[in-house]
Amino acid sequence: MRVRFAPSPTGKLHVGGLRTALFNYLAARQTKGQFILRIEDTDQNRQVTGAVQNLIESLHWAGLDYDEGPERGGDFGPYFQSERLDIYHRHIDQLVAEDHAYYCFCSSERLEEVRQTQIAAKRQPGYDGHCRHIPKAEAARRAKSEPHVVRMKIPETGELKFSDRVRGNISYPLNQMDDQVLLKTDGFPTYHLANVVDDHYMQVNLVIRGEEWLPSTPKHILLYQYLGWEVPEFAHLPLLLNSDRSKLSKRQGDVAVEDYRAKGILPEALVNFVALLGWNPGDDREIFSLDELVDVFSLERVNKAGAVFNLEKLYWMNGQYIRKLEVSDYLNRANTWLAGQGHVVVSDELLLLVRDSLTTLADLPDNLEPLLAEIPVPENDEAAAMLKAESSQTVYRTAVEILDTRETLSADDFKAMMKQIQQATGVKGKNLWMPARIALTGQVHGPELPRIVEIFGKEKVRERLAAALRN
Ligand code: GLU
C-alpha cells in the first residue's frame, strides 16, 4: 500500500493527527508499502511559523519516520503542496476545458447576500450556481482581467456511492453538495483539488484520515472521475472525544503531542495509547510496541463510534512503559530528561531507586528531591505530626543509640535494627516504619526503606534520624 499523512501546517501536531499518522504508518509497514508525508500548505492565511518543524519533529520522536520526498540538501524532505502549484493549475485548466469546472466571478458581498436570503427562507445555504451558465468564451475572457475562483460542477441530481473501509457503504445525495471552489482568487488551489491531484501522482491507493473529511469524499471521488483517474480506497477514522463525549478540544486538556512529551510521557506509551483510540485487537491486551502493532493492526477492527481520550489510561500506560525499559535505556532517558530541565547529575542507584514511583519522567525531580535534600522536610501536616509524635521520638532516640555502636549499615542490618527497636520500645508496624520513612525521606510513600538505607549508608541515615529527634 502507498499511504500518506497530509497535515496542514496550522499548528502543533495534534494527538488525533498522531493517530492518523500512526494508522497510515502501520498500513504501510504491514504491506511493505510506503508512508508519505505531505504538507498541505495551500491555505496561506492559516499557516503557522514553526508548524512544519513541529510536525516533523513530533513524528520523528514518536518513531513514525516517513519514506520518501523530494531531495533537500542531500537528504529528503516531505512534499510541500506550495511547491507544486504548476501541476494543480494544469489540472484546473483541464477541468475547465472539459466542462467539469467553471470560472466564478461572484464577489464575497454577493455570496453573503445569497446566503442571508437562503437562511431567511429556511433553505440550506450554498452557492446558487450564478456563474455556472456564463458562456465559456465570455468567462475565459473575463477571467483574464477579473478576480475569480474556479468551481467544480457537481451534478444536480443523483447519488454518489462509495465504500469506506471503516464505515462501510455510504451514499450522498448530490443535490446537497455545493459547487466546491477548486482554485481561490489568490491562485492557490483549495485542499480538495490539491489533495486529489497529489494522491493521484503520489500513487496513494489507500486514504486513511479523520472522519471530518468524510463529507468531502464524494467531491474528491467526482474529481477522480472527471480527471479519468483511479479512485483510491478510503478509511475514515472515528472522532476523538473528551470524557464527556464532546469533541476533543484544547479547553479540556492538552492536545498537542509536544505537550505530552513535555509532561514526560514516553513516545512508546503515547503511540500505544493512540493506537487504542478507535482500534482494538479483539481481546483484552493493551500493551503493544510499534512493531507488535504492525503485526496485529487492521482497519477492519477500527470502530465507527467516537473514541474517548482517557488520560488516566495514558498515565497508567506510561508508568508501565517506564518500568519495562531496559535499565540502561531508562537511565539514559532519565538523565536526558533531568539535563533538559537543568537538574544536577544524579547517581544511577538513586534513579533506579525511584523508578517504580514514577508515572512520567516529569515525576523525577519530586521523587529525587527528598533523597538529595540536606535534611528532608515533612511533605505535609500528617507527616510533620508523625515526626513529632512521642512514640516516633522514642524510635529515633533508640535508633541513634544503636547506630552509634555501629560502623556500617547494610539493608539487612537496617531490618535487624528495626526489629531491635521494636523489642526495645514496643512500637511496631506502621508506627515504627512510617516515622522512619518520614525521617529518612520526608514522605509517606516511596521506595522500600532498606533499599534507601543501602544507598544512603550509615552516616546519612544517622544524620537524618538525629535531625528528626531534635525536631
Ligand atoms: N490537510 C488535511 C488535514 O489537515 C488532510 C486531510 C486528508 O488526509 O485528506 O487534515
Side-chain angles (χ1 to χ4, degrees):
M1 284 291 175
R2 283 179 60 85
V3 295
R4 81 317 190 259
F5 176 49
S8 302
T10 53
K12 293 174 180 172
L13 179 62
H14 188 280
V15 283
L18 180 68
R19 182 192 58 175
T20 303
L22 172 65
F23 287 11
N24 276 289
Y25 174 92
L26 297 174
R29 292 290 168 272
Q30 262 180 358
T31 55
K32 309 259 180 291
Q34 285 83 38
F35 172 54
I36 297 165
L37 176 62
R38 180 171 77 224
I39 306 296
E40 301 209 322
D41 57 349
T42 58
D43 193 342
Q44 297 288 295
N45 302 324
R46 295 184 60 222
Q47 311 260 359
V48 171
T49 334
V52 173
Q53 189 71 10
N54 180 273
L55 286 165
I56 294 176
E57 270 174 24
S58 297
L59 286 177
H60 182 68
W61 174 77
L64 307 182
D65 287 320
Y66 56 93
D67 294 322
E68 63 171 55
E71 266 285 316
R72 287 182 209 282
D75 215 341
F76 70 91
Y79 293 98
F80 283 88
Q81 289 189 325
S82 56
E83 294 173 358
R84 300 165 57 80
L85 299 181
D86 287 353
I87 311 179
Y88 310 129
H89 285 143
R90 219 164 54 224
H91 291 293
I92 293 278
D93 293 346
Q94 180 192 347
L95 289 165
V96 173
E98 293 174 0
D99 237 2
H100 293 306
Y102 60 92
Y103 297 109
C104 168
F105 305 94
C106 292
S107 63
S108 41
E109 292 77 22
R110 177 178 185 278
L111 294 176
E112 187 50 30
E113 243 178 72
V114 171
R115 219 176 83 86
Q116 292 307 335
T117 319
Q118 288 164 332
I119 292 174
K122 299 214 175 344
R123 293 209 312 269
Q124 193 192 327
Y127 185 59
D128 61 353
H130 186 70
C131 292
R132 199 168 166 150
H133 307 291
I134 304 176
K136 260 176 102 169
E138 183 191 332
R141 188 170 31 79
R142 283 177 64 185
K144 291 207 169 70
S145 56
E146 285 180 46
H148 62 273
V149 301
V150 173
R151 291 182 184 270
M152 75 184 281
K153 276 190 186 168
I154 307 260
E156 280 159 286
T157 55
E159 289 198 5
L160 198 132
K161 295 193 168 100
F162 65 98
S163 151
D164 184 277
R165 292 275 295 269
V166 173
R167 312 193 63 91
N169 291 332
I170 302 200
S171 166
Y172 272 94
L174 290 167
N175 65 2
Q176 284 181 17
M177 270 190 275
D178 244 1
D179 280 355
Q180 176 67 51
V181 173
L182 300 179
L183 186 75
K184 295 174 285 181
T185 18
D186 64 2
F188 278 85
T190 54
Y191 150 74
H192 305 279
L193 189 273
N195 189 270
V196 165
V197 169
D198 282 346
D199 281 345
H200 169 71
Y201 281 106
M202 294 175 192
Q203 298 171 319
V204 168
N205 43 21
L206 170 60
V207 170
I208 305 174
R209 62 184 171 197
E211 190 182 294
E212 63 274 26
W213 301 106
L214 190 64
S216 302
T217 307
K219 296 175 192 170
H220 298 173
I221 293 177
L222 278 175
L223 284 173
Y224 284 105
Q225 291 171 351
Y226 290 168
L227 292 163
W229 294 338
E230 204 174 317
V231 182
E233 281 192 277
F234 292 97
H236 286 90
L237 308 177
L239 290 178
L240 300 189
L241 308 175
N242 295 308
S243 47
D244 63 2
R245 302 200 73 81
S246 58
K247 197 175 158 204
L248 187 66
S249 73
K250 258 193 225 161
R251 260 166 290 127
Q252 296 203 25
D254 291 317
V255 290
V257 168
E258 190 189 85
D259 296 335
Y260 289 101
R261 180 182 184 176
K263 289 202 145 96
I265 297 285
L266 304 187
E268 293 92 332
L270 190 61
V271 163
N272 189 156
F273 174 72
V274 300
L276 295 169
L277 293 174
W279 170 83
N280 69 77
D283 56 33
D284 294 343
R285 184 163 165 209
E286 291 198 295
I287 301 291
F288 297 94
S289 69
L290 192 53
D291 286 342
E292 288 165 344
L293 286 170
V294 171
D295 287 339
V296 297
F297 177 77
S298 83
L299 282 173
E300 281 55 48
R301 296 211 61 89
V302 173
N303 306 319
K304 288 187 224 171
V308 173
F309 193 86
N310 177 349
L311 265 185
E312 267 170 42
K313 183 157 166 182
L314 170 60
Y315 283 100
W316 168 80
M317 227 174 225
N318 201 60
Q320 300 291 310
Y321 272 92
I322 287 181
R323 286 177 252 312
K324 244 172 56 144
L325 292 173
E326 297 271 332
V327 166
S328 58
D329 192 6
Y330 162 71
L331 292 172
N332 214 340
R333 296 200 211 201
N335 279 314
T336 310
W337 174 270
L338 290 170
Q341 308 282 313
H343 280 282
V344 288
V345 180
V346 177
S347 70
D348 290 354
E349 49 186 5
L350 279 186
L351 290 176
L352 287 168
L353 181 66
V354 298
R355 159 141 102 160
D356 287 350
S357 315
L358 305 177
T359 303
T360 68
L361 295 176
D363 295 337
L364 277 165
D366 277 357
N367 280 274
L368 290 167
E369 205 263 339
L371 304 171
L372 296 169
E374 278 290 305
I375 296 297
V377 181
E379 64 171 334
N380 54 30
D381 291 349
E382 183 202 353
M386 186 134 228
L387 195 89
K388 290 203 169 77
E390 212 171 303
S391 77
S392 306
Q393 292 289 315
T394 316
V395 168
Y396 301 146
R397 195 173 309 112
T398 317
V400 172
E401 279 166 21
I402 298 173
L403 285 173
D404 282 340
T405 67
R406 309 189 56 101
E407 291 291 309
T408 57
L409 187 71
S410 69
D412 283 341
D413 295 341
F414 175 73
K415 287 188 227 165
M417 177 179 93
M418 292 298 274
K419 197 160 264 161
Q420 211 181 328
I421 297 173
Q422 179 186 327
Q423 279 155 5
T425 63
V427 182
K428 58 182 181 195
K430 191 174 169 229
N431 290 335
L432 173 64
W433 285 85
M434 191 56 89
R437 177 177 292 287
I438 293 166
L440 294 179
T441 69
Q443 314 230 301
V444 287
H445 297 292
E448 283 172 32
L449 276 188
R451 281 183 71 197
I452 298 179
V453 166
E454 186 101 75
I455 294 170
F456 279 1
K458 186 213 131 180
E459 278 317 318
K460 196 162 167 180
V461 170
R462 188 198 175 281
E463 189 184 25
R464 290 181 174 217
L465 289 165
L469 180 56
R470 256 178 277 121
N471 227 291

